[in-house]
Amino acid sequence: MKTDEVRVLVVDDVPDAADMLAQVLELGGYTVWTAHDGLRALAMIEEHNPHCVLLDIDMPGIDGNELCRRVRERYVDDIVLIAVSGQDIEDRRVVEGFARADHYLRKPVDLSELNRVLPPVYC
């Protein structure tokens, strides 16, 4: 692992959405992994120790809200959590997820907003 890399995990149950966002981040100089469910995301967080996790709130099984809760419980504030959702801001699950995350972005993700909240890459 390079010491100057910024590691990001993208979690979305829609593989195309996760892969597209990962490709954009890689072009920006980030080291990126993807997971398509909460359980896999937890394993990848343990394995890769990311600086940041972008996570969809509305996923089957362990949703983004529960994923946020578990990450906060284990890592406190060591990982930047960015919740991403296309759901209505008034949805209870969305409100709970956003309360645990550091940042919230609506789908489709505005790349300038994403760049504003991501840890910076130094070249």
Side-chain angles (χ1 to χ4, degrees):
M1 178 181 328
K2 299 185 315 186
T3 59
D4 60 344
E5 69 183 351
V6 179
R7 299 175 305 279
V8 178
L9 175 62
V10 177
V11 186
D12 198 314
D13 61 317
V14 178
D16 287 344
D19 294 344
M20 184 176 68
L21 192 50
Q23 288 174 0
V24 169
L25 292 171
E26 286 172 343
L27 288 172
Y30 293 91
T31 300
V32 185
W33 296 272
T34 60
H36 302 130
D37 63 71
L39 278 179
R40 180 73 180 131
L42 289 170
M44 293 185 85
I45 290 168
E46 184 73 27
E47 179 181 351
H48 297 293
N49 191 29
H51 295 99
C52 179
V53 176
L54 278 92
L55 54 109
D56 185 21
I57 292 293
D58 189 24
M59 298 186 294
I62 295 178
D63 66 5
N65 184 29
E66 178 64 13
L67 182 58
C68 279
R69 187 189 68 73
R70 291 186 187 192
V71 170
R72 285 291 182 241
E73 185 176 273
R74 167 116 191 201
Y75 300 96
V76 191
D77 291 328
D78 291 343
I79 298 174
V80 175
L81 296 177
I82 302 173
V84 179
S85 181
Q87 299 297 322
D88 186 346
I89 189 73
E90 302 301 320
D91 183 307
R92 178 192 55 77
R93 290 174 306 150
V94 174
V95 171
E96 289 176 19
F98 297 162
R100 289 188 174 99
D102 297 297
H103 306 283
Y104 156 70
L105 300 174
R106 298 263 311 153
K107 286 183 178 181
V109 173
D110 179 313
L111 295 180
S112 63
E113 277 296 301
L114 179 59
N115 285 327
R116 185 183 66 73
V117 298
L118 279 171
V121 172
Y122 299 104
C123 298

